[in-house]
Amino acid sequence: MNPDDLPSPVPPADPPPEVHSGLMARFRNYFLTGLIVAGPIAITFYLTWWFVTWVDGLVRPFVPIAYRPETYLPFGLPGSGLIVAVIALTLLGFLTANLIGRTLVDLGERLLGRMPVVRAIYRSLKQVFETLFSGKGSSFRRVGLVEFPSPGMWSIVLISQAPSVEIANNLPGEEEHISVFLPCAPNPTTGFFFYVPKSKIIEIEMSAEDAATLIMSCGVVQPGSDGQKKIAALAGMANAARVANAASLPPEPARVE
């Protein structure tokens, strides 16, 4: 047989690039899904651990060495300082509710009231704590929209109390004003405090917690969204990516015996 009559060998076909890209897309989807699930849990545990260790560091110097758990255990016991702080604050509240406790508190407040600089700081902090933790005030429990920083642009604000008589008398116009706090994203602990006419505020049905979540996420997490729907959407996205990757693979050639 003439060698020229033999069929020329067929060069092997290169693997399609879709296989590599499909694997990378699948890996990315699975990684993002795992990050969404594990990220909030890790950050929550980290913040909780930081708070517990911070309280332990503050309380431990006031606890005698004989009453510290690490004196009898080969390792430290996280949270022992937090337990001591909770018991101490509860005991302080119990003693303050009595006649002797109230007398001592009044005596301490009179002493602080005679200090020029400390007096203003103490009174301001006391009013803030009484308003936030008394459960009777309405400050920062209502959410509204204010046209800020320019016309046509709306920002979320936390509605506070009406201004005092001294401030209200010096505000221009005859319309009633109200004080609001505009949190900054993504850190809602900072922001702007200003007085705005009551008619310029659009109060919305949203809790302060949902507003803080919306601000911290920069609008990514919208209020009223269902967490189960998010997980189902992620699972559907991963399933769709798997089906698309399987469809992009070339069919296996049939074997010829």
Side-chain angles (χ1 to χ4, degrees):
M1 182 180 293
N2 190 357
D4 297 336
D5 296 337
L6 295 176
S8 59
V10 179
D14 297 332
E18 289 79 5
V19 177
H20 184 267
S21 62
L23 292 176
M24 292 302 298
R26 186 183 306 175
F27 174 80
R28 180 188 61 186
N29 293 333
Y30 290 157
F31 174 77
L32 293 178
T33 303
L35 183 62
I36 293 174
V37 174
I41 298 176
I43 295 176
T44 302
F45 273 103
Y46 172 77
L47 294 178
T48 304
W49 180 263
W50 171 83
F51 177 76
V52 171
T53 54
W54 177 70
V55 175
D56 288 347
L58 292 178
V59 177
R60 187 176 290 110
F62 300 97
V63 179
I65 300 178
Y67 295 99
R68 297 180 185 178
E70 56 267 19
T71 305
Y72 308 98
L73 299 176
F75 54 87
L77 187 61
S80 59
L82 181 61
I83 296 175
V84 173
V86 171
I87 296 175
L89 292 176
T90 305
L91 182 61
L92 178 62
F94 172 75
L95 296 176
T96 306
N98 298 326
L99 178 61
I100 299 177
R102 289 198 298 268
T103 304
L104 294 177
V105 170
D106 292 339
L107 178 60
E109 289 183 348
R110 285 198 297 269
L111 292 177
L112 293 175
R114 297 179 180 179
M115 302 180 183
V117 179
V118 179
R119 174 179 55 192
I121 298 176
Y122 172 74
R123 290 180 178 177
S124 301
L125 292 177
K126 183 181 178 182
Q127 291 178 0
V128 170
F129 273 75
E130 288 178 350
T131 303
L132 293 178
F133 296 102
S134 63
K136 299 179 181 179
S138 59
S139 298
F140 297 158
R141 297 185 180 180
R142 294 181 297 162
V143 183
L145 293 174
V146 173
E147 200 170 13
F148 181 86
S150 61
M153 302 177 64
W154 296 87
S155 299
I156 294 180
V157 296
L158 301 178
I159 302 174
S160 185
Q161 300 290 343
S164 61
V165 179
E166 294 79 4
I167 297 178
N169 293 334
N170 291 277
L171 291 174
E174 299 181 356
E175 187 176 355
E176 181 183 359
H177 287 71
I178 195 167
S179 57
V180 296
F181 175 71
L182 192 154
C184 290
N187 183 12
T189 59
T190 61
F192 303 94
F193 173 80
F194 50 89
Y195 296 100
V196 63
K198 195 172 183 179
S199 61
K200 301 296 183 180
I201 302 176
I202 301 177
E203 190 170 350
I204 58 179
E205 294 294 334
M206 181 187 297
S207 63
E209 291 79 7
D210 291 340
T213 303
L214 178 63
I215 294 171
M216 287 188 293
S217 65
C218 298
V220 175
V221 180
Q222 296 293 329
S225 57
D226 191 1
Q228 296 295 331
K229 292 181 179 180
K230 294 180 183 179
I231 298 176
L234 291 173
M237 181 179 63
N239 189 22
R242 184 170 60 253
V243 173
N245 294 332
S248 63
L249 295 177
E252 296 183 357
R255 296 182 179 180
V256 179
E257 298 183 356

